[in-house]
Amino acid sequence: MNTVALEKSFANPGPLGLMGFGMTTVLLNLHNAGLVSMGSAILAMGIIFGGAAQIFAGILEFFNGNTFGLTAFTSYGAFWISFVLLIILPHFGVIPASSPALIGSYLTIWGLFTAILFVGTLKASKELQVVFGTLVILFLLLAAGEFTGQPIFATIAGFEGLVCGFSAIYLAAKELLHAQG
């Protein structure tokens, strides 16, 4: 009996996760830079594209055997959903707002997690290193703003975050267009 092994070919979920991260990061950092007000467009993007789409991309990375992609996309998807909840739950009186020290700690922990992932990119493309390297800086600048109460940190973080977000969009576009041949 002749059996033919069929090789499964799965799509690369990386562009979806990177676009979800990049586009949401750009929108939020337009606000951080003082260029737009916080609004429903940022929060909706955070829940759906930054949150749910990245978690979906992370799950798909599992099926591709990519532990790094699984960890990064599902974690940052969860970050975006938790970030939106930090904003909206106190607004509706569900829970009190967190103190600046607690938000600073939240951002610092995400910065440390991102630094670990950055180390994981050192054997990857320079573009991916830029995404994670600028994200470490972004989290630390935002944390510094919370800890010090100095709004200049958020403004600087906003412009630096635009670099981070657009670098993720660039990498997503590169991977997507490369896959199209």
Side-chain angles (χ1 to χ4, degrees):
M1 178 169 165
N2 245 348
T3 57
V4 177
L6 295 177
E7 222 177 280
K8 289 186 179 183
S9 176
F10 295 106
N12 178 7
L16 171 64
L18 286 165
M19 276 297 182
F21 171 79
M23 291 171 57
T24 308
T25 299
V26 165
L27 271 186
L28 177 62
N29 284 289
L30 289 171
H31 164 70
N32 289 338
L35 303 173
V36 299
S37 298
M38 177 59 76
S40 60
I42 296 169
L43 298 176
M45 183 78 102
I47 292 170
I48 301 303
F49 206 37
Q54 277 198 94
I55 289 172
F56 181 67
I59 292 167
L60 293 176
E61 289 286 15
F62 168 83
F63 293 105
N64 283 342
N66 183 350
T67 303
F68 185 89
L70 165 71
T71 304
F73 288 138
T74 55
S75 296
Y76 292 117
F79 163 81
W80 280 112
I81 293 168
S82 72
F83 180 77
V84 170
L85 290 174
L86 283 172
I87 294 169
I88 65 172
L89 291 177
H91 179 76
F92 290 108
V94 176
I95 57 172
S98 294
S99 68
L102 185 53
I103 296 296
S105 298
Y106 169 85
L107 294 166
T108 300
I109 288 292
W110 278 104
L112 292 172
F113 171 72
T114 303
I116 293 166
L117 291 179
F118 173 73
V119 171
T121 69
L122 295 177
K123 293 183 180 176
S125 71
K126 295 294 181 203
E127 294 97 340
L128 194 61
Q129 292 172 25
V130 169
V131 171
F132 281 88
T134 57
L135 185 56
V136 171
I137 295 166
L138 176 59
F139 277 126
L140 297 180
L141 284 169
L142 290 170
E146 292 294 328
F147 286 131
T148 66
Q150 298 297 315
I152 189 68
F153 283 109
T155 303
I156 294 168
F159 288 103
E160 195 275 344
L162 291 172
V163 172
C164 178
F166 280 121
S167 69
I169 291 169
Y170 169 81
L171 182 54
K174 179 181 174 185
E175 289 185 9
L176 179 67
L177 297 175
H178 175 75
Q180 286 303 101

